[in-house]
Amino acid sequence: MGTKMNFLKVRSLGSIALRKAEDIDFKYHFNFFSVNFNEELVALYGGSLQRQTKFVHECIKVILKLYRNREFAPTSVAIIGHSMGGLVARALLTLKNFRPELINLLITQATPHVAPVMPLDKYLTGFRDYQVRSGLAFLPRLSQHDSALSVVSSAVPRAWASTDHLSIVWCKELILATIRAFFDLIDENTRQITQDPKKRMSVLNHHFVRHPAKTFEENPEAFTELTGAFTWIKVKTSKWTYSVYNDSDGKYFTFPLASRRKSYSHIYCQNSMLDTSSWIYGCISSNSSMCLEATDLSWRAELLPTVKVVILKLQDYPSLSHIVIYVQPTVGNKFTLDCEFFKEDSRTVQLPVTHLFSFGLSSSKILLNSTGLLYNVQLQHFDQIYQAFKIYIESHCQLLKERKPSVYRLHIPWSHEDSVIVAKVPSFTEISAKLHIAQPENDSSVPGLNIYSSSDCQYEVILKTSLLQILGQIIRFHGCSLPVYVVSNILLTYGGQLSTLISTGHCSEFSLELVRTAKPYKVDPVISIVVFLLGFNWFREIWDSLSLPEVDAAVLSSQDAWFPLVSLILFLFGTGIAYWSGVFFSSSLRLFSSLWLTLVRPSILQKDNKLITPRRMCVVVSLALVSWTTCGAFAIFIIYLRYVFKVIKLHVSVKAEQNALNGDSEHSKETSQNAIKQTVKKRNSVDGASEATQSLCNNRAIAEDVNSLRMHVTILNLFTWIVLLNLPSLIYWLKNLRYNVRLDPDPCRSTAIILVSILEILMNSSTSEVKSSKLLKIAAKVPFPLSVAMLAFGQMHLYKVPHFVTFSLLLHVLCCIV
C-alpha cells in the first residue's frame, strides 16, 4: 500500500464522497486520510508488517485527536485497506494495547487473509496473514456470517466485473458502492457510522451482495396504501408482457393468486426500468375492484445489468390475495414488464458436469425448449476447485426482431463469487466456470446457471471440461509451490550424481541424471502415506510427541485446496523447469566461457590442494560481517557471483585443455600450449615416463576436471534457486538502503552466514577429494529424504527450502574434509 496507490485511492474515494455530501447539502460528510508506508514492499518482505501495524495505530490516535473538542466527535474510524494494507489494518487487533472499538468498519480489497501469496519468510506466514487470487481474500468461514462479508467483484451489484490486483482500487463501480454504503451506515443520532452490527451487515449486503434497485431503508414500512387515480387492470393469463412508452397515465395490474396456487409454485417478474421506485406489491386487503392495503415486495427484487427481477414462492405468502404491478406515468421513457407463473420443477433442469479426465472430448448438453422467461440449470457435482469447464450457450429465435439481451448468471450458493454475463439474442456465448472456494462439507447446495431469457427463443447449453483451465487452477492455487518442486528435482539429481561418483567414479551430466533420478513415484507416495496415517489418533500422538510440524498437504487438504494428482502435476512441472533451467544455465556458461576465451589468454586453472587458506577465511569473515551488519541476502548474492566466476574459469580451463590435447583449435594450441605443457608436466612429471603413459595421465586429469565441473554446475544450479528465493529481501533492503543500512529483522541472516562458509569451501573443491571420503555414501543418500521433507514442509513455507539445501551442501563440505 504505497504512497502513489494511497493517493489514487483516497482521491477517488474523497471526490465521490464530496459529491455525495453535496447532494444532501452536507448533512453528513467524511474526511479521508491516507497512511504513507513509503512504498515498502511488504508483499515480498514481512519483516516490516509489525512496524507498519504500530504506525497505523499511532495514526488512528492522531486522527481522532483532531476532532477531540468538536460536536459529534468521532471515537472510531473506518479503514479501507488494499492488498497487504488490509492485512496491516486487520493486524491492529493483535496489538496488546490496541482498543478494538477504535475500528468501526474495515473494508479490505484483494487482501490475502487466508495465507500469503508467496510465503518467502517466516514473518509473512506468522501473520497468517495473476497476484492475490480471490480464494485467499475470503475471510475464515467461522466469521463469515456474523460480522464479516467476503465478495468477489464480479458478484457486486452494478459492478459485475472482474478486476486485477491494482484496478480494484480505482474501479468506479466499486468506489460508488463503497461510498453509498458509508453514507447509509451513518447513525442520525451520533452522526457517526452506526454501532449496530445488524444494520452494518444489512447495509453491506444491500450494496455488495443483493441490491433490490431501491434506496436503502433501515426499517421500511411493512404496509402501504396504493393511492392515486390510476387504472386497475386484472390479468388472468399465466404469462404477461407490457411495454410502456410515453404513457402519461399510471396503471395497476393485479394478478389473483387464489386460482393459481394449485397450478403454480412461483411467480417471476422483471422490469427493465432500473429506477429506485417501488413497482411490485403483495395485496393484503382488497375489494372487488382494487387493492386497499399492500406490502412492498420491491425489497425482494434483485438488480441485474439490464433488468430488475423478483422471484416469489407462493407458499411463502399465504396471506396475499393478489400480486400488484405498478406502472408509473412516464414521459420519454421506454421500458417493458414481464410476469409469469411457473412450477419450479418445469424450470429447473439438471446438467451433470463432465469428468475431469474427459479432457474436453466429451460434453454434457441440454436443450431448453420451453418458452419461459427463467431457467435454472443445476450443475451437478461441480464442487471442487480443480474442476474447470467451458459452458457454451447458443440461443435460437423464431422471429427476427429486436429483443432485450439475455442475462446469464453463474451462481455459487456457498460463496459470493457469482459472475454475470449479458448476451445479445440470438448469440453464441462462452462462459468459464471455475471455483474460488470449494464446497464446504456441511453444504448440500448445487451451483446453478441462471438464464434470464427471451420468451420466444430456444437455448442450448453445452458443457465441456477445459484442460487448460484445470492447469490454470493448479497454477492459481499452487503456483507458489513450484520453486519447491524445482529445487526438489535438482536435489534428487545432485544425490544421483554423488551416487554415480561412487559406483562409476565419474559424475554424470545434469540432464541425464535428472531424467534418471527425478521420479515422482519415489517421492509422492511417502507424503501420501504420512498424510493418511495422520488421520489416525495413535499416529497423530506420535507425530506431535516428536514436535514435528504439520504436513503442508494435510493443511491444504483441510482448506479444500488440495486435490488428486496435483502433486504429480506440480512435480512434472518442476522437472520440466529444472531441465530447461539446467539447459539455459549450461548454455549461458558456455557463452560466457567463449567470451572469456576470446577476450582473455586462456590458461590452465592452478590446483590448490588446501581447501581452507587464510585468504579464504578472510573472505568468509568479511561476508559474514556483511551479512550481520547489512543484509544476509546481499552476502548470499556476493558469494553466488564469486561461485559463478569460479565455475566460468573452471569451464574455460577444461575447454582449453580439451582443445589443446584433441587438436580442435589451432588458435588454442598456439596460445595455450606452453601453459598446458607446464601444468601437465607438474601433474605428471615422472622421469623416464613414456609418451603414452603421459597422455593417459593427461586424459585422467581432464576427466577429473570434467567431473568437478559437472558437480559445480549442479551445485550452482541449486544455489541459483536459493538466491531467487532470497531475492525479495535483497530488493527490499536496496530500496530502503537510504534509510537504514541494516535489514532488521533479516529472515536469512543466519542461513547466509552458514552458506557463505560452505560455498567458499565448495567452490575450491574437486571430485577427487570427495571420492575418497568415508561420508560420501551418506551424502549421496541424504538428498532423497531431504527432497521428501522439502515437499512435505516447504510448500506453504518457501523460506524453509534453503535450510534443506544447506544441510545437504554441509555434508558435501564434510566429504571434502573427512
mmCIF file with all atom_site columns, all heavy atoms in Angstrom, residues 491-507:
data_model
loop_
_atom_site.group_PDB
_atom_site.id
_atom_site.type_symbol
_atom_site.label_atom_id
_atom_site.label_alt_id
_atom_site.label_comp_id
_atom_site.label_asym_id
_atom_site.label_entity_id
_atom_site.label_seq_id
_atom_site.pdbx_PDB_ins_code
_atom_site.Cartn_x
_atom_site.Cartn_y
_atom_site.Cartn_z
_atom_site.occupancy
_atom_site.B_iso_or_equiv
_atom_site.pdbx_formal_charge
_atom_site.auth_seq_id
_atom_site.auth_comp_id
_atom_site.auth_asym_id
_atom_site.auth_atom_id
_atom_site.pdbx_PDB_model_num
ATOM 1   N N   . LEU A 1 491 ? 17.734 -31.343 -6.298  1.00 0.00 ? 491 LEU A N   1
ATOM 2   C CA  . LEU A 1 491 ? 18.376 -32.020 -5.173  1.00 0.00 ? 491 LEU A CA  1
ATOM 3   C C   . LEU A 1 491 ? 18.444 -33.527 -5.408  1.00 0.00 ? 491 LEU A C   1
ATOM 4   O O   . LEU A 1 491 ? 19.453 -34.175 -5.065  1.00 0.00 ? 491 LEU A O   1
ATOM 5   C CB  . LEU A 1 491 ? 17.593 -31.713 -3.893  1.00 0.00 ? 491 LEU A CB  1
ATOM 6   C CG  . LEU A 1 491 ? 18.299 -31.978 -2.557  1.00 0.00 ? 491 LEU A CG  1
ATOM 7   C CD1 . LEU A 1 491 ? 19.583 -31.173 -2.480  1.00 0.00 ? 491 LEU A CD1 1
ATOM 8   C CD2 . LEU A 1 491 ? 17.386 -31.614 -1.396  1.00 0.00 ? 491 LEU A CD2 1
ATOM 9   N N   . LEU A 1 492 ? 17.406 -34.114 -5.996  1.00 0.00 ? 492 LEU A N   1
ATOM 10  C CA  . LEU A 1 492 ? 17.452 -35.537 -6.347  1.00 0.00 ? 492 LEU A CA  1
ATOM 11  C C   . LEU A 1 492 ? 18.537 -35.793 -7.386  1.00 0.00 ? 492 LEU A C   1
ATOM 12  O O   . LEU A 1 492 ? 19.246 -36.816 -7.324  1.00 0.00 ? 492 LEU A O   1
ATOM 13  C CB  . LEU A 1 492 ? 16.092 -35.977 -6.890  1.00 0.00 ? 492 LEU A CB  1
ATOM 14  C CG  . LEU A 1 492 ? 14.946 -36.092 -5.875  1.00 0.00 ? 492 LEU A CG  1
ATOM 15  C CD1 . LEU A 1 492 ? 13.633 -36.353 -6.586  1.00 0.00 ? 492 LEU A CD1 1
ATOM 16  C CD2 . LEU A 1 492 ? 15.222 -37.197 -4.867  1.00 0.00 ? 492 LEU A CD2 1
ATOM 17  N N   . THR A 1 493 ? 18.667 -34.900 -8.350  1.00 0.00 ? 493 THR A N   1
ATOM 18  C CA  . THR A 1 493 ? 19.719 -35.039 -9.365  1.00 0.00 ? 493 THR A CA  1
ATOM 19  C C   . THR A 1 493 ? 21.096 -34.948 -8.729  1.00 0.00 ? 493 THR A C   1
ATOM 20  O O   . THR A 1 493 ? 22.011 -35.718 -9.075  1.00 0.00 ? 493 THR A O   1
ATOM 21  C CB  . THR A 1 493 ? 19.562 -33.931 -10.424 1.00 0.00 ? 493 THR A CB  1
ATOM 22  O OG1 . THR A 1 493 ? 18.235 -33.980 -10.951 1.00 0.00 ? 493 THR A OG1 1
ATOM 23  C CG2 . THR A 1 493 ? 20.566 -34.112 -11.554 1.00 0.00 ? 493 THR A CG2 1
ATOM 24  N N   . TYR A 1 494 ? 21.249 -34.019 -7.808  1.00 0.00 ? 494 TYR A N   1
ATOM 25  C CA  . TYR A 1 494 ? 22.519 -33.860 -7.095  1.00 0.00 ? 494 TYR A CA  1
ATOM 26  C C   . TYR A 1 494 ? 22.882 -35.140 -6.341  1.00 0.00 ? 494 TYR A C   1
ATOM 27  O O   . TYR A 1 494 ? 24.034 -35.612 -6.391  1.00 0.00 ? 494 TYR A O   1
ATOM 28  C CB  . TYR A 1 494 ? 22.394 -32.670 -6.150  1.00 0.00 ? 494 TYR A CB  1
ATOM 29  C CG  . TYR A 1 494 ? 23.469 -32.567 -5.114  1.00 0.00 ? 494 TYR A CG  1
ATOM 30  C CD1 . TYR A 1 494 ? 24.769 -32.179 -5.436  1.00 0.00 ? 494 TYR A CD1 1
ATOM 31  C CD2 . TYR A 1 494 ? 23.185 -32.826 -3.764  1.00 0.00 ? 494 TYR A CD2 1
ATOM 32  C CE1 . TYR A 1 494 ? 25.751 -32.070 -4.469  1.00 0.00 ? 494 TYR A CE1 1
ATOM 33  C CE2 . TYR A 1 494 ? 24.162 -32.714 -2.788  1.00 0.00 ? 494 TYR A CE2 1
ATOM 34  C CZ  . TYR A 1 494 ? 25.437 -32.337 -3.141  1.00 0.00 ? 494 TYR A CZ  1
ATOM 35  O OH  . TYR A 1 494 ? 26.406 -32.229 -2.185  1.00 0.00 ? 494 TYR A OH  1
ATOM 36  N N   . GLY A 1 495 ? 21.904 -35.743 -5.659  1.00 0.00 ? 495 GLY A N   1
ATOM 37  C CA  . GLY A 1 495 ? 22.163 -37.006 -4.979  1.00 0.00 ? 495 GLY A CA  1
ATOM 38  C C   . GLY A 1 495 ? 22.512 -38.122 -5.946  1.00 0.00 ? 495 GLY A C   1
ATOM 39  O O   . GLY A 1 495 ? 23.370 -38.972 -5.660  1.00 0.00 ? 495 GLY A O   1
ATOM 40  N N   . GLY A 1 496 ? 21.845 -38.128 -7.118  1.00 0.00 ? 496 GLY A N   1
ATOM 41  C CA  . GLY A 1 496 ? 22.162 -39.132 -8.131  1.00 0.00 ? 496 GLY A CA  1
ATOM 42  C C   . GLY A 1 496 ? 23.574 -38.997 -8.659  1.00 0.00 ? 496 GLY A C   1
ATOM 43  O O   . GLY A 1 496 ? 24.254 -40.006 -8.922  1.00 0.00 ? 496 GLY A O   1
ATOM 44  N N   . GLN A 1 497 ? 24.050 -37.773 -8.816  1.00 0.00 ? 497 GLN A N   1
ATOM 45  C CA  . GLN A 1 497 ? 25.430 -37.571 -9.283  1.00 0.00 ? 497 GLN A CA  1
ATOM 46  C C   . GLN A 1 497 ? 26.443 -38.069 -8.259  1.00 0.00 ? 497 GLN A C   1
ATOM 47  O O   . GLN A 1 497 ? 27.479 -38.641 -8.628  1.00 0.00 ? 497 GLN A O   1
ATOM 48  C CB  . GLN A 1 497 ? 25.658 -36.085 -9.574  1.00 0.00 ? 497 GLN A CB  1
ATOM 49  C CG  . GLN A 1 497 ? 24.968 -35.608 -10.850 1.00 0.00 ? 497 GLN A CG  1
ATOM 50  C CD  . GLN A 1 497 ? 25.210 -34.143 -11.113 1.00 0.00 ? 497 GLN A CD  1
ATOM 51  O OE1 . GLN A 1 497 ? 25.186 -33.328 -10.201 1.00 0.00 ? 497 GLN A OE1 1
ATOM 52  N NE2 . GLN A 1 497 ? 25.431 -33.797 -12.372 1.00 0.00 ? 497 GLN A NE2 1
ATOM 53  N N   . LEU A 1 498 ? 26.133 -37.852 -6.982  1.00 0.00 ? 498 LEU A N   1
ATOM 54  C CA  . LEU A 1 498 ? 27.034 -38.384 -5.951  1.00 0.00 ? 498 LEU A CA  1
ATOM 55  C C   . LEU A 1 498 ? 27.037 -39.910 -5.967  1.00 0.00 ? 498 LEU A C   1
ATOM 56  O O   . LEU A 1 498 ? 28.085 -40.548 -5.750  1.00 0.00 ? 498 LEU A O   1
ATOM 57  C CB  . LEU A 1 498 ? 26.605 -37.876 -4.578  1.00 0.00 ? 498 LEU A CB  1
ATOM 58  C CG  . LEU A 1 498 ? 26.789 -36.376 -4.303  1.00 0.00 ? 498 LEU A CG  1
ATOM 59  C CD1 . LEU A 1 498 ? 26.272 -36.026 -2.910  1.00 0.00 ? 498 LEU A CD1 1
ATOM 60  C CD2 . LEU A 1 498 ? 28.262 -35.981 -4.425  1.00 0.00 ? 498 LEU A CD2 1
ATOM 61  N N   . SER A 1 499 ? 25.869 -40.509 -6.256  1.00 0.00 ? 499 SER A N   1
ATOM 62  C CA  . SER A 1 499 ? 25.791 -41.978 -6.316  1.00 0.00 ? 499 SER A CA  1
ATOM 63  C C   . SER A 1 499 ? 26.590 -42.529 -7.501  1.00 0.00 ? 499 SER A C   1
ATOM 64  O O   . SER A 1 499 ? 27.296 -43.535 -7.368  1.00 0.00 ? 499 SER A O   1
ATOM 65  C CB  . SER A 1 499 ? 24.326 -42.409 -6.438  1.00 0.00 ? 499 SER A CB  1
ATOM 66  O OG  . SER A 1 499 ? 23.592 -42.022 -5.293  1.00 0.00 ? 499 SER A OG  1
ATOM 67  N N   . THR A 1 500 ? 26.503 -41.905 -8.651  1.00 0.00 ? 500 THR A N   1
ATOM 68  C CA  . THR A 1 500 ? 27.282 -42.358 -9.818  1.00 0.00 ? 500 THR A CA  1
ATOM 69  C C   . THR A 1 500 ? 28.771 -42.146 -9.589  1.00 0.00 ? 500 THR A C   1
ATOM 70  O O   . THR A 1 500 ? 29.604 -42.895 -10.119 1.00 0.00 ? 500 THR A O   1
ATOM 71  C CB  . THR A 1 500 ? 26.846 -41.613 -11.090 1.00 0.00 ? 500 THR A CB  1
ATOM 72  O OG1 . THR A 1 500 ? 26.967 -40.194 -10.892 1.00 0.00 ? 500 THR A OG1 1
ATOM 73  C CG2 . THR A 1 500 ? 25.410 -41.940 -11.435 1.00 0.00 ? 500 THR A CG2 1
ATOM 74  N N   . LEU A 1 501 ? 29.092 -41.143 -8.795  1.00 0.00 ? 501 LEU A N   1
ATOM 75  C CA  . LEU A 1 501 ? 30.501 -40.918 -8.466  1.00 0.00 ? 501 LEU A CA  1
ATOM 76  C C   . LEU A 1 501 ? 31.047 -42.083 -7.652  1.00 0.00 ? 501 LEU A C   1
ATOM 77  O O   . LEU A 1 501 ? 32.218 -42.471 -7.791  1.00 0.00 ? 501 LEU A O   1
ATOM 78  C CB  . LEU A 1 501 ? 30.634 -39.602 -7.688  1.00 0.00 ? 501 LEU A CB  1
ATOM 79  C CG  . LEU A 1 501 ? 32.022 -38.971 -7.622  1.00 0.00 ? 501 LEU A CG  1
ATOM 80  C CD1 . LEU A 1 501 ? 32.511 -38.589 -9.015  1.00 0.00 ? 501 LEU A CD1 1
ATOM 81  C CD2 . LEU A 1 501 ? 31.998 -37.731 -6.734  1.00 0.00 ? 501 LEU A CD2 1
ATOM 82  N N   . ILE A 1 502 ? 30.176 -42.657 -6.814  1.00 0.00 ? 502 ILE A N   1
ATOM 83  C CA  . ILE A 1 502 ? 30.586 -43.822 -6.022  1.00 0.00 ? 502 ILE A CA  1
ATOM 84  C C   . ILE A 1 502 ? 30.687 -45.068 -6.892  1.00 0.00 ? 502 ILE A C   1
ATOM 85  O O   . ILE A 1 502 ? 31.665 -45.824 -6.836  1.00 0.00 ? 502 ILE A O   1
ATOM 86  C CB  . ILE A 1 502 ? 29.581 -44.073 -4.871  1.00 0.00 ? 502 ILE A CB  1
ATOM 87  C CG1 . ILE A 1 502 ? 29.570 -42.890 -3.906  1.00 0.00 ? 502 ILE A CG1 1
ATOM 88  C CG2 . ILE A 1 502 ? 29.913 -45.359 -4.133  1.00 0.00 ? 502 ILE A CG2 1
ATOM 89  C CD1 . ILE A 1 502 ? 28.493 -42.992 -2.837  1.00 0.00 ? 502 ILE A CD1 1
ATOM 90  N N   . SER A 1 503 ? 29.677 -45.293 -7.736  1.00 0.00 ? 503 SER A N   1
ATOM 91  C CA  . SER A 1 503 ? 29.598 -46.547 -8.492  1.00 0.00 ? 503 SER A CA  1
ATOM 92  C C   . SER A 1 503 ? 30.530 -46.589 -9.693  1.00 0.00 ? 503 SER A C   1
ATOM 93  O O   . SER A 1 503 ? 31.106 -47.640 -10.004 1.00 0.00 ? 503 SER A O   1
ATOM 94  C CB  . SER A 1 503 ? 28.155 -46.778 -8.954  1.00 0.00 ? 503 SER A CB  1
ATOM 95  O OG  . SER A 1 503 ? 27.713 -45.691 -9.757  1.00 0.00 ? 503 SER A OG  1
ATOM 96  N N   . THR A 1 504 ? 30.666 -45.472 -10.396 1.00 0.00 ? 504 THR A N   1
ATOM 97  C CA  . THR A 1 504 ? 31.457 -45.473 -11.638 1.00 0.00 ? 504 THR A CA  1
ATOM 98  C C   . THR A 1 504 ? 32.730 -44.643 -11.551 1.00 0.00 ? 504 THR A C   1
ATOM 99  O O   . THR A 1 504 ? 33.596 -44.746 -12.418 1.00 0.00 ? 504 THR A O   1
ATOM 100 C CB  . THR A 1 504 ? 30.615 -44.934 -12.810 1.00 0.00 ? 504 THR A CB  1
ATOM 101 O OG1 . THR A 1 504 ? 30.291 -43.550 -12.577 1.00 0.00 ? 504 THR A OG1 1
ATOM 102 C CG2 . THR A 1 504 ? 29.323 -45.738 -12.951 1.00 0.00 ? 504 THR A CG2 1
ATOM 103 N N   . GLY A 1 505 ? 32.794 -43.794 -10.529 1.00 0.00 ? 505 GLY A N   1
ATOM 104 C CA  . GLY A 1 505 ? 33.954 -42.915 -10.426 1.00 0.00 ? 505 GLY A CA  1
ATOM 105 C C   . GLY A 1 505 ? 33.828 -41.669 -11.279 1.00 0.00 ? 505 GLY A C   1
ATOM 106 O O   . GLY A 1 505 ? 34.755 -40.845 -11.309 1.00 0.00 ? 505 GLY A O   1
ATOM 107 N N   . HIS A 1 506 ? 32.720 -41.527 -11.966 1.00 0.00 ? 506 HIS A N   1
ATOM 108 C CA  . HIS A 1 506 ? 32.502 -40.358 -12.822 1.00 0.00 ? 506 HIS A CA  1
ATOM 109 C C   . HIS A 1 506 ? 31.191 -39.670 -12.424 1.00 0.00 ? 506 HIS A C   1
ATOM 110 O O   . HIS A 1 506 ? 30.253 -40.308 -11.947 1.00 0.00 ? 506 HIS A O   1
ATOM 111 C CB  . HIS A 1 506 ? 32.443 -40.751 -14.302 1.00 0.00 ? 506 HIS A CB  1
ATOM 112 C CG  . HIS A 1 506 ? 33.707 -41.363 -14.800 1.00 0.00 ? 506 HIS A CG  1
ATOM 113 N ND1 . HIS A 1 506 ? 34.850 -40.633 -15.073 1.00 0.00 ? 506 HIS A ND1 1
ATOM 114 C CD2 . HIS A 1 506 ? 34.019 -42.668 -15.083 1.00 0.00 ? 506 HIS A CD2 1
ATOM 115 C CE1 . HIS A 1 506 ? 35.811 -41.431 -15.490 1.00 0.00 ? 506 HIS A CE1 1
ATOM 116 N NE2 . HIS A 1 506 ? 35.330 -42.689 -15.504 1.00 0.00 ? 506 HIS A NE2 1
ATOM 117 N N   . CYS A 1 507 ? 31.142 -38.374 -12.649 1.00 0.00 ? 507 CYS A N   1
ATOM 118 C CA  . CYS A 1 507 ? 29.935 -37.591 -12.367 1.00 0.00 ? 507 CYS A CA  1
ATOM 119 C C   . CYS A 1 507 ? 29.151 -37.427 -13.671 1.00 0.00 ? 507 CYS A C   1
ATOM 120 O O   . CYS A 1 507 ? 29.677 -36.920 -14.660 1.00 0.00 ? 507 CYS A O   1
ATOM 121 C CB  . CYS A 1 507 ? 30.316 -36.221 -11.802 1.00 0.00 ? 507 CYS A CB  1
ATOM 122 S SG  . CYS A 1 507 ? 28.907 -35.207 -11.355 1.00 0.00 ? 507 CYS A SG  1
#
